[in-house]
Amino acid sequence: MAAGAADVILDPPSLVSAGRKKGVMSRIVANASMGNFGWQLMVPVKSTTEVKDLNGKKVAITAAGSDLLALWTIQDRKIDFTRVPVGGGGLVPNLLANNVDAAVVYSPLSFQILKSGEARTILDYAREVPPNLTAGWIVLDKFAQEKPALVQKALNALYGAVAFMRNNRDATIKLIADLYEMPSEIAALEYENTILKLETDGNMAASNVSDAVQLSLDLAKLGGLKDIVPTQEVISTQFKPVATKP
């Protein structure tokens, strides 16, 4: 976005905060997601390990710097464990080979290994982490100022797409299955546990949004984000999406 290769991106508030400190002046103009849907702390199905047992153990993560949920677990459950970065492709192999005691797994991978019976969930982050703005639609301040009508139309189309997916289950499941090359039953789980939980109006002026943004920034501090800008500098209430109709 800073290089002009994209006009609208989907990312968390922490990216906006970090960018503004480096001169990339952007804001979240619409709320997309208020939870870590599909993210789960998992162990091999035959393991008797529970969250409290992970103290002093090894937990796989995708990469250092992207382990906020693991850090939240350490803080919230008052335990400590070694975070082992293994990459997205290494989560399941290392978990099933018992190279680690648990893994923070994202969707739809979490649904796949849960469905196959290879692993079980000991912590569902979508349920346990307090609601926070995990993703929003972001544009540069300059772009919003110079082309507000275009931003509005883009947001209308995006939320129109969300409305279409929510109202067309079979078509959406097929789309997910085709795009991500996964079985339809796993695509259905992704649909039910992720698509149906996306925000439907995107209104950044809603009463709960500022608190959700602040909590998201507070979580980012766990990952080492410093010099966080005030919440009001991260969001814009200039736009309110009006979903297009098919």
Side-chain angles (χ1 to χ4, degrees), residues 204-216:
M204 293 302 294
S207 59
N208 63 330
V209 169
S210 291
D211 289 343
V213 170
Q214 186 60 56
L215 181 54
S216 180

Side-chain angles (χ1 to χ4, degrees), residues 10 32-33 35 37-38 107 111 158-169 171-177 179-180 186-200:
L10 181 68
S33 176
F37 306 121
S107 72
F111 303 137
L158 289 166
Y159 286 86
V162 171
F164 176 87
M165 290 188 292
R166 290 173 61 88
N167 294 324
N168 293 272
R169 182 181 188 276
T172 303
I173 289 174
K174 184 180 185 304
L175 178 63
I176 294 171
L179 283 175
Y180 297 101
I186 303 301
L189 291 172
E190 178 76 358
Y191 175 79
E192 293 161 3
N193 292 281
T194 300
I195 299 299
L196 290 182
K197 295 182 180 179
L198 297 177
E199 295 299 300
T200 57

Side-chain angles (χ1 to χ4, degrees), residues 68-84:
L68 294 183
L69 293 176
L71 292 167
W72 177 86
T73 305
I74 289 171
Q75 182 188 70
D76 186 72
R77 300 305 165 95
K78 296 179 173 56
I79 57 176
D80 195 16
F81 50 71
T82 300
R83 305 184 307 284
V84 183

Side-chain angles (χ1 to χ4, degrees), residues 12-92:
S14 57
L15 188 70
V16 174
S17 181
R20 294 189 77 86
K21 283 292 183 178
K22 296 181 179 180
V24 181
M25 311 308 284
S26 67
R27 294 177 190 263
I28 297 176
V29 294
N31 175 13
S33 176
M34 291 279 277
N36 302 99
F37 306 121
W39 286 84
Q40 300 175 14
L41 182 60
M42 308 186 80
V43 297
V45 70
K46 294 183 179 180
S47 171
T48 60
T49 299
E50 299 298 338
V51 179
K52 61 182 176 59
D53 302 321
L54 290 177
N55 197 49
K57 302 294 182 64
K58 294 186 291 185
V59 176
I61 59 172
T62 55
S66 61
D67 55 347
L68 294 183
L69 293 176
L71 292 167
W72 177 86
T73 305
I74 289 171
Q75 182 188 70
D76 186 72
R77 300 305 165 95
K78 296 179 173 56
I79 57 176
D80 195 16
F81 50 71
T82 300
R83 305 184 307 284
V84 183
V86 297
L91 287 174
V92 173

